[in-house]
Amino acid sequence: MGYREIYARYRQQIQAGVLKSGDRVPAIRVLASELRVARKTVEAAYEILIGEGYFVSQGAKGTRVNPALTPVNKEEPAWQPEESDLPLRIEQRESKGEMRLGIPSLDAFPLKKWLLISGKAARSLRPDEMLIPPVMGYTPLREAIASYLNISRGLDCQPEQIFITSGYRANLRLILAVLAQAGDKVLFEDPGYFFGQQLLKWIAPNLHYVPVDRDGIDVDHLLRYHADARFAVVTPTHQSPLAVTLSLPRKHQLLAWAQENESWIIEDDYDGEFHYTRKVIPALKSLDTHDRVIYTGTFSKTIMPAMRIGYLVMPKATLARFRELGEILENGLPLLPQKILAQFLSEGHFYRHIKKMRILYQQRRRMMLDALQACFPDLFEYQLTDGGMHIVAFLRRGIQDVALAEVWQRHQLRVLPLSGWYMQTQKRYGLVIGYTNIRSYEQALALLQGVEEETRRAMAR
Ligand SMILES: Cc1ncc(COP(=O)(O)O)c(C=O)c1O
């Protein structure tokens, strides 16, 4: 490689905006060794770049892209991602917004404590912890999760049963890869969690839907039409999205079905920690005397979604199979975040944080509801449930929830239209509204007032 090529590469990177003004570039010696060229070659390229004003040399501080450089107009039109066929949801994941669903109150996260633990965990990383991480997860984290689940969610599991994953979708993929056979019937709630629906459509060809009512998934319907299913994916604590809790009689009915048919219930306990008006509801798994429930959980709702750590509890009879296939299908998660999380749990910070969040979420839900009521007294009705992290505001009249959500989204209120979560069951219409990042009644009111006029117009159409 000659100096001209090095020069051209840097110029191109700067023009494309990949390298930005102020960015540091490698020292001549380092780049020469990296590219296996003589130092003189790199030196020549850097000299031209400095001469033309792309780079500035700062002596001992190294060389940088000229901080005075304003972004260059690109010669080619900027690359645009292709239109997604999931417009509302993908957009929602990537933008800010106080009404986004399922995001913990980020302002209330004990960041200082977290950073302290992170620093300690990084500094104490032992050589053996720098090797390939264990496929099923870092042992102290598996221990801490088992202990948490047994105390707080009423389970009776051993650390050996915990498989740490990168979250919900990884859980579903792994469970089906390990336990399903081609053609197995899989059941999903209707309405149901959008990403679950999308994934299962892709990986489970024999997918069927079971309606949900005020008592959760309709188990009579399941028994009548789908008793032969091998898997049922359910959200018993707070149904996603309706937030209703699966009634106790139905829990028993569902467990009896799984036991008789040797089917598996996949329990998605994504926000089971957040229950406000009564005691915490124990997980369905806590009633499972025949080990037919595969419990799954996530730290996305309790710590932060960027954590990307979830877990599943393997039934005892499946341990060997998960172990065997896990070694083939997975390669373990990065160890450092697991170490930080294990410490956060075992030192008790997690429990304290959850306790605080229960109180905070209850207050923020009230603020949001009061603001909705003040701004739109006749538009919505609510079937308030005991917990969860979002409100379902059903439209009293009309079916324009998609148009309405679009109006709110244009104003950065990242709500979702309820009808979009239904597959086959008769749709209900409304907005699914997150409230965990609303900081005051006044703030909620101001946000809603910003869409008041357009909301009325959209509803009058
Ligand atoms: C119903 C449901 N299940 C599971 C999850 C957790 O997903 P993950 O662990 O991939 O962040 C979510 C998060 O939004 C959810 O809404």
Side-chain angles (χ1 to χ4, degrees), residues 103-111 300 303-305 353 357 360-361 364 436-437 439:
I103 307 291
S105 297
L106 299 175
D107 60 312
F109 184 71
L111 199 57
S300 293
I303 304 272
M304 59 184 93
H353 178 53
M357 290 309 97
L360 187 71
Y361 290 172
R364 290 187 171 182
T436 44
N437 283 289
R439 300 205 189 176

Side-chain angles (χ1 to χ4, degrees), residues 101-102 166-171 193 195 235 240 268 270 297-301 305 308-310 421:
L101 291 188
S166 64
Y168 174 79
R169 281 175 269 193
N171 285 336
Y193 180 44
F195 289 114
T235 47
S240 171
D268 173 15
Y270 64 107
T298 179
F299 288 101
S300 293
K301 312 289 172 188
R308 297 294 359 118
I309 294 187
W421 299 57

Side-chain angles (χ1 to χ4, degrees), residues 192-400:
Y193 180 44
F194 180 76
F195 289 114
Q197 227 180 66
Q198 293 292 313
L199 174 72
L200 288 173
K201 270 202 237 165
W202 193 252
I203 63 171
N206 193 5
L207 178 65
H208 293 263
Y209 300 95
V210 181
V212 175
D213 61 24
R214 279 168 181 261
D215 289 323
I217 188 168
D218 183 347
V219 186
D220 282 336
H221 182 103
L222 182 156
L223 295 176
R224 198 167 319 130
Y225 300 105
H226 301 297
D228 57 336
R230 274 277 287 162
F231 297 88
V233 184
V234 293
T235 47
T237 308
H238 303 128
Q239 202 275 332
S240 171
L242 298 177
V244 294
T245 300
L246 187 62
S247 70
L248 191 59
R250 284 196 183 170
K251 280 182 177 160
H252 285 300
Q253 229 183 338
L254 190 63
L255 290 167
W257 160 75
Q259 182 190 332
E260 271 165 35
N261 291 276
E262 300 198 341
S263 302
W264 297 109
I265 300 168
I266 302 176
E267 174 174 19
D268 173 15
D269 200 28
Y270 64 107
D271 70 354
E273 288 82 3
F274 300 117
H275 219 74
Y276 314 130
T277 52
R278 278 192 258 133
K279 275 194 186 159
V280 172
I281 296 183
L284 174 66
K285 177 72 186 164
S286 68
L287 304 172
D288 175 26
T289 47
H290 287 72
D291 222 4
R292 300 310 307 177
V293 176
I294 306 168
Y295 178 92
T296 70
T298 179
F299 288 101
S300 293
K301 312 289 172 188
T302 45
I303 304 272
M304 59 184 93
M307 192 76 220
R308 297 294 359 118
I309 294 187
Y311 50 87
L312 60 93
V313 181
M314 300 169 274
K316 290 195 179 96
T318 66
L319 279 182
R321 197 158 164 73
F322 267 101
R323 194 175 304 123
E324 188 187 334
L325 274 164
E327 292 288 345
I328 297 170
L329 298 172
E330 303 291 326
N331 38 19
L333 293 177
L335 193 118
L336 187 56
Q338 297 188 69
K339 192 169 174 177
I340 299 168
L341 186 54
Q343 203 72 13
F344 193 73
L345 275 138
S346 63
E347 286 181 7
H349 309 298
F350 182 74
Y351 292 84
R352 276 194 288 281
H353 178 53
I354 300 294
K355 201 168 152 201
K356 261 174 51 190
M357 290 309 97
R358 278 196 201 108
I359 297 165
L360 187 71
Y361 290 172
Q362 204 173 338
Q363 291 165 349
R364 290 187 171 182
R365 182 166 79 161
R366 191 69 265 154
M367 289 169 192
M368 190 71 222
L369 279 167
D370 287 349
L372 280 165
Q373 202 53 33
C375 241
F376 304 109
D378 305 317
L379 187 58
F380 300 118
E381 61 191 5
Y382 313 92
Q383 285 160 12
L384 264 204
T385 60
D386 277 353
M389 294 167 75
H390 63 263
I391 294 166
V392 184
F394 297 95
L395 285 180
R396 281 178 194 262
R397 281 175 296 279
I399 59 168
Q400 309 91 313

